[in-house]
Amino acid sequence: RSSKTFKPKKNIPEGSHQYELLKHAEATLGSGNLRQAVMLPEGEDLNEWIAVNTVDFFNQINMLYGTITEFCTEASCPVMSAGPRYEYHWADGTNIKKPIKCSAPKYIDYLMTWVQDQLDDETLFPSKIGVPFPKNFMSVAKTILKRLFRVYAHIYHQHFDSVMQLQEEAHLNTSFKHFIFFVQVREPY
């Protein structure tokens, strides 16, 4: 098995404006009002808010999936799916142009590596103040979020029993609810 499936946490530099936005989001989440937590803070840049939250969701999903990797194997999940009607094939548009059918662990490894590469690309996700986001940023962020949703879908469909055995369902449910509220609020953009 690839040791790359569980990605290192993507850190936002302490003291940066993005770090302050993350702290604002965490404080708002602590209030228990997830609908309020996803709202763009007054006076903040939409792209920066989406970037900070995309990194946070990547970290959350990475951590959640990391807890069930022993249950998500080539044998138990030979296809990346969320039930018989939802099968996901991988393509990144660069190395793999034509979508390929692969196991869930392989798909998630490809996905997490691809997302990590996007987040580390300073031309897509600039971390320095004053560096503009690219014109295609919103499209890139939507693609990342759409693909991260597939990991939630797979976990819920294929591994919820394992999540319950590990007593992590409250965390999974809160993370997923936060994700859905965030995506729904962003949709008009």
Side-chain angles (χ1 to χ4, degrees):
R1 268 209 31 144
S2 170
S3 62
K4 296 191 310 181
T5 301
F6 189 75
K7 297 289 166 216
K9 190 171 186 172
K10 168 75 176 170
N11 290 317
I12 294 173
E14 198 169 329
S16 69
H17 185 66
Q18 290 175 345
Y19 182 80
E20 296 307 316
L21 279 175
L22 180 62
K23 289 297 160 202
H24 171 82
E26 288 172 355
T28 312
L29 271 172
S31 74
N33 186 341
L34 289 175
R35 289 199 189 278
Q36 182 185 348
V38 299
M39 302 306 291
L40 176 67
E42 194 171 324
E44 293 299 340
D45 178 68
L46 177 63
N47 287 337
E48 201 160 350
W49 181 243
I50 290 173
V52 165
N53 281 277
T54 300
V55 169
D56 190 38
F57 287 121
F58 169 75
N59 288 336
Q60 285 183 48
I61 293 166
N62 192 25
M63 188 265 313
L64 287 164
Y65 180 72
T67 65
I68 56 116
T69 54
E70 67 186 277
F71 308 108
C72 188
T73 65
E74 300 282 329
S76 67
C77 302
V79 174
M80 176 59 176
S81 69
R85 292 179 50 205
Y86 301 99
E87 186 173 303
Y88 308 114
H89 296 181
W90 179 255
D92 61 15
T94 308
N95 299 323
I96 302 172
K97 294 182 193 293
K98 185 177 181 217
I100 60 168
K101 186 175 185 171
C102 55
S103 68
K106 189 70 180 161
Y107 181 99
I108 294 169
D109 183 43
Y110 282 139
L111 171 62
M112 295 310 225
T113 299
W114 177 80
V115 173
Q116 182 78 56
D117 289 347
Q118 306 304 301
L119 299 178
D120 288 344
D121 184 341
E122 283 288 325
T123 64
L124 289 176
F125 282 78
S127 61
K128 293 176 180 55
I129 293 177
V131 176
F133 284 84
K135 291 189 185 336
N136 68 334
F137 174 74
M138 201 63 71
S139 172
V140 170
K142 281 182 180 183
T143 300
I144 290 171
L145 293 170
K146 174 180 73 174
R147 289 178 174 183
L148 289 176
F149 171 83
R150 295 170 182 175
V151 180
Y152 279 119
H154 179 74
I155 291 171
Y156 272 109
H157 189 270
Q158 298 295 127
H159 302 292
F160 195 70
D161 287 346
S162 300
V163 169
M164 286 179 34
Q165 281 180 321
L166 296 168
Q167 298 181 329
E168 294 177 350
E169 66 270 19
H171 185 70
L172 174 64
N173 290 338
T174 301
S175 176
F176 183 61
K177 188 176 182 181
H178 180 206
F179 179 88
I180 292 300
F181 284 170
F182 182 80
V183 173
Q184 286 175 335
V185 163
R186 296 295 139 253
E187 199 50 44
Y189 307 110

